Amino acid sequence: VGVEAGWIDPDTPKNAYKTMALPPAVPALPHEQSKAKARHHRYVHYSDAVPGEPTEQPTAEPTLEPTVSPTMWPTASPTQPPIAREYDLVFSDEFNTPGRTFHDGEDPKWTAMEKNDYTNDAQHYYAASNVYTNDDGYLVIKTEAADTEIIGYSDVKKKKVHDTKHFRSAMLQGWDKFCFTGGVVETEVVLPGKHNVGGLWPAFWLLGNLARHTYVGSSEHVWPWASDTCTPKASGAQLINACMKTGHYGMKPGVGRGAPEIDIFEVQPGDTPGNNGKFLESPVGQPFMSASYQVAPGRPARVGGGYWPGPGMWYDGLSGGNNSVLNIFFYGAYNHFLSDTDPATQDYW
């Protein structure tokens, strides 16, 4: 089914053609019974700090009194509000046209993947036929238990192997079709499955155009770099770095480039609450939504996933709202590849 190739969908309401950035909001103080009590060694992490006494690092929830470390509420002095910005709509898709399919070359805005996904221990195969628009004006991504026979290269066995993926789903990409450098992104998504049954990992996210997800070779030493400074670390770990004196493929020399990642949301359903099981050190358990900005270079010498950072291991002054916390299960793993055998040149982020 053909659709207009214009970047703005004519079905988008006119009142959505302009928008203002949301003002920052200070989270309300949590109820006394909801205060988290988890600790890691001697570092205070939550709002059970004694009022008036300094904390040794930023707290995940507001404290009752100002502390020597930055907190969201209250602050020792008024903060300056950001300058209000108005944004013009440059791209939209309402998916109102029934019968749209997204096989390679069929749609001007999107491409559905038709390939195996072997990243992050994925158990599924991406099938282009599993994403389409229905008669009710919705984009549908179908996940099902269905076998797919594949022959693909194994990074572990270093050869092509025959394998069977027992689940099938879909991924819709805008790679190399529409790019932007900043702004406001909005989407409306109905999440699949049940909130307390694990196994799914629905996500809506952005990736720099120099890399393409599931094509791992395109992201090696490119994701998630965003550095334009020549350093010994970058010269060995960043594929397109500012130390390069010769330009290739029309890119200027001496300019660092990469593909950072912004995960607007990744959702993990399940029935394990916070401070239990694998979430023992975290007050937030399943189901949870993870939002992240993945960028290199980052902070070296950090602890691994599942543990709280000590002083100097993470960024000072960060604080979240109610029922939110640093995702200790995914931060801290450095961005390495099988060819990186020298610790001095390994990526980190």
Side-chain angles (χ1 to χ4, degrees):
V1 176
V3 296
E4 292 188 23
W7 291 124
I8 298 179
D9 191 323
D11 287 338
T12 299
K14 298 299 182 183
N15 59 8
Y17 276 46
K18 291 184 180 295
T19 189
M20 301 293 293
L22 295 176
V26 177
L29 282 174
H31 295 295
E32 187 71 23
Q33 62 269 24
S34 68
K35 293 180 180 179
K37 301 296 181 182
R39 298 172 181 270
H40 174 60
H41 297 304
R42 63 187 181 88
Y43 309 124
V44 179
H45 289 281
Y46 302 106
S47 57
D48 55 350
V50 178
E53 292 186 4
T55 56
E56 296 186 63
Q57 75 170 42
T59 56
E61 294 180 359
T63 54
L64 297 178
E65 298 289 340
T67 64
V68 293
S69 299
T71 55
M72 287 294 290
W73 184 96
T75 55
S77 60
T79 55
Q80 295 297 321
I83 300 175
R85 290 184 176 181
E86 184 178 70
Y87 293 87
D88 294 321
L89 182 67
V90 294
F91 176 94
S92 66
D93 198 334
E94 306 297 330
F95 299 106
N96 283 345
T97 302
R100 283 173 67 182
T101 55
F102 303 93
H103 290 75
D104 192 11
E106 288 188 351
D107 193 87
K109 294 181 177 180
W110 308 101
T111 300
M113 306 304 295
E114 184 67 53
K115 70 184 299 288
N116 179 41
D117 181 13
Y118 57 94
T119 64
N120 302 319
D121 295 324
Q123 303 300 302
H124 57 265
Y125 176 85
Y126 282 135
S129 57
N130 279 45
V131 56
Y132 53 89
T133 57
N134 64 14
D135 293 337
D136 297 323
Y138 288 100
L139 175 73
V140 177
I141 296 178
K142 182 174 67 174
T143 299
E144 58 183 336
D147 288 350
T148 303
E149 302 288 329
I150 62 170
I151 297 177
Y153 184 79
S154 170
D155 284 338
V156 177
K157 297 182 179 180
K158 299 294 185 181
K159 63 179 182 179
K160 287 186 176 181
V161 297
H162 181 272
D163 195 8
T164 301
K165 285 295 187 75
H166 300 294
F167 298 94
R168 194 177 296 159
S169 189
M171 170 178 278
L172 205 58
Q173 292 186 355
W175 178 81
D176 214 29
K177 290 191 172 184
F178 178 81
C179 298
F180 62 98
T181 56
V184 177
V185 179
E186 298 179 357
T187 185
E188 184 177 357
V189 179
V190 178
L191 297 177
K194 297 181 178 180
H195 72 280
N196 59 347
V197 178
L200 299 178
W201 186 245
F204 179 69
W205 54 290
L206 310 175
L207 180 66
N209 198 59
L210 288 181
R212 188 177 187 186
H213 184 55
T214 75
Y215 292 86
V216 178
S218 71
S219 63
E220 288 193 3
H221 299 275
V222 176
W223 168 88
W225 281 92
S227 173
D228 193 30
T229 302
C230 177
T231 66
K233 174 70 81 170
S235 66
Q238 184 181 6
L239 182 63
I240 309 171
N241 58 75
C243 305
M244 301 173 67
K245 301 185 184 305
T246 303
H248 298 280
Y249 304 103
M251 294 184 286
K252 295 181 179 180
V255 178
R257 301 173 187 269
E261 177 179 336
I262 300 175
D263 293 336
I264 298 176
F265 69 76
E266 295 179 300
V267 176
Q268 185 178 116
D271 59 359
T272 304
N275 300 128
N276 287 272
K278 60 184 177 182
F279 298 98
L280 184 62
E281 294 289 335
S282 173
V284 175
Q286 294 172 330
F288 69 81
M289 184 208 80
S290 175
S292 63
Y293 175 43
Q294 301 176 27
V295 63
R299 300 290 294 271
R302 295 181 293 168
V303 297
Y307 294 94
W308 290 101
M313 289 184 175
W314 198 235
Y315 299 94
D316 294 332
L318 297 182
S319 180
N322 296 336
N323 202 31
S324 66
V325 70
L326 173 69
N327 190 336
I328 61 175
F329 303 98
F330 294 97
Y331 103 101
Y334 70 94
N335 173 16
H336 71 95
F337 299 97
L338 295 178
S339 59
D340 295 334
T341 58
D342 180 7
T345 60
Q346 286 174 337
D347 291 6
Y348 59 99
W349 57 277

